Amino acid sequence: MTIERTLSIVKPDAVAKNVIGKIYDRFESAGLKVVAAKMKQLSRAEAEGFYAVHAARPFFNDLVNFMISGPVMIQALEGEGAILKNRDLMGATNPKEAAVGTIRADFADSIDANAVHGSDSAENAAIEIAYFFASSEVYSR
Ligand code: IDP
C-alpha cells in the first residue's frame, strides 16, 4: 500500500445533524489523518464546477441545490490506501444499500442527502484537493 491523499466532504445534511466530529472519528480510527480542512458555503458556480462530470445527469440540478443548501466541511485525508479506505468507510452511494457500520448507513437519509463525498480515484483526488486547497494549505504529517 502507498500513502495517498483523498478529498472528503461532509455534506450539508451531516453538518446540519452536527455529526462532523463523529465522521472525523471514523477517519481517525481507520488510520486516516486530516491534513487540510475548511468549512465553506459553496457558491452555485463552485458546486457546479466540482460536480462538472455529472453535468449531463438528470440529478445534477438537485445535487447542486443540495450542496449549496448549507455549509460543508471539506478535508484532505492522508494515509495508506486513503482513497479506497475512505470509500469503504463511506459505504454505497445509496444509504439503503450501504453496509452496516458505514458513514452513509449511520448518518445519511437518502441518495440525495448522503452525508459525505470521497474521491473515487487517485487522478480525481489530486484534481479535487487542488479545487479547494492551495498546496500551502495541506499539511502532510
Ligand atoms: P459517490 O458520491 O458515491 O461517488 P456519484 O455517482 O459520484 O456517487 O454521485 C455523486 C453524488 O450525486 C452522490 O453522492 C449523490 O449525492 C448524487 N447522486 C448520484 N446518483 C444519484 C441519483 O440517482 N439520484 C440522486 N442523486 C444521485
Side-chain angles (χ1 to χ4, degrees):
M1 281 276 192
T2 50
I3 300 293
E4 296 176 335
R5 288 179 186 166
T6 190
L7 193 277
S8 161
I9 302 178
V10 179
K11 294 185 178 183
D13 57 322
V15 172
K17 280 185 183 171
N18 201 27
V19 293
I20 294 170
K22 288 192 168 78
I23 292 173
Y24 271 40
D25 185 49
R26 304 286 175 102
F27 301 149
E28 294 180 345
S29 297
L32 296 177
K33 296 176 179 176
V34 176
V35 294
K38 66 174 75 161
M39 183 174 270
K40 200 170 195 312
Q41 170 68 55
L42 299 182
S43 68
R44 183 170 295 277
E46 282 172 328
E48 286 176 350
F50 183 74
Y51 279 118
V53 66
H54 293 309
R57 307 282 285 276
F59 58 82
F60 182 66
N61 261 338
D62 288 345
L63 174 59
V64 169
N65 283 330
F66 168 65
M67 289 301 287
I68 65 173
S69 65
V72 295
M73 192 73 199
I74 308 168
Q75 45 284 326
L77 306 175
E78 184 179 83
E80 278 196 10
I83 296 161
L84 191 58
K85 192 176 272 184
N86 183 43
R87 297 289 302 187
D88 286 345
L89 292 173
M90 288 163 56
T93 306
N94 185 346
K96 293 193 179 78
E97 294 163 10
V100 173
T102 60
I103 292 169
R104 282 169 166 165
D106 289 347
F107 301 119
D109 296 323
S110 68
I111 194 166
D112 305 274
N114 64 359
V116 279
H117 166 84
S119 308
D120 62 4
S121 68
E123 185 188 1
N124 284 338
I127 293 168
E128 292 176 359
I129 290 169
Y131 193 80
F132 287 117
F133 297 103
S135 53
S136 62
E137 294 177 309
V138 182
Y139 296 90
S140 194
R141 57 196 181 87

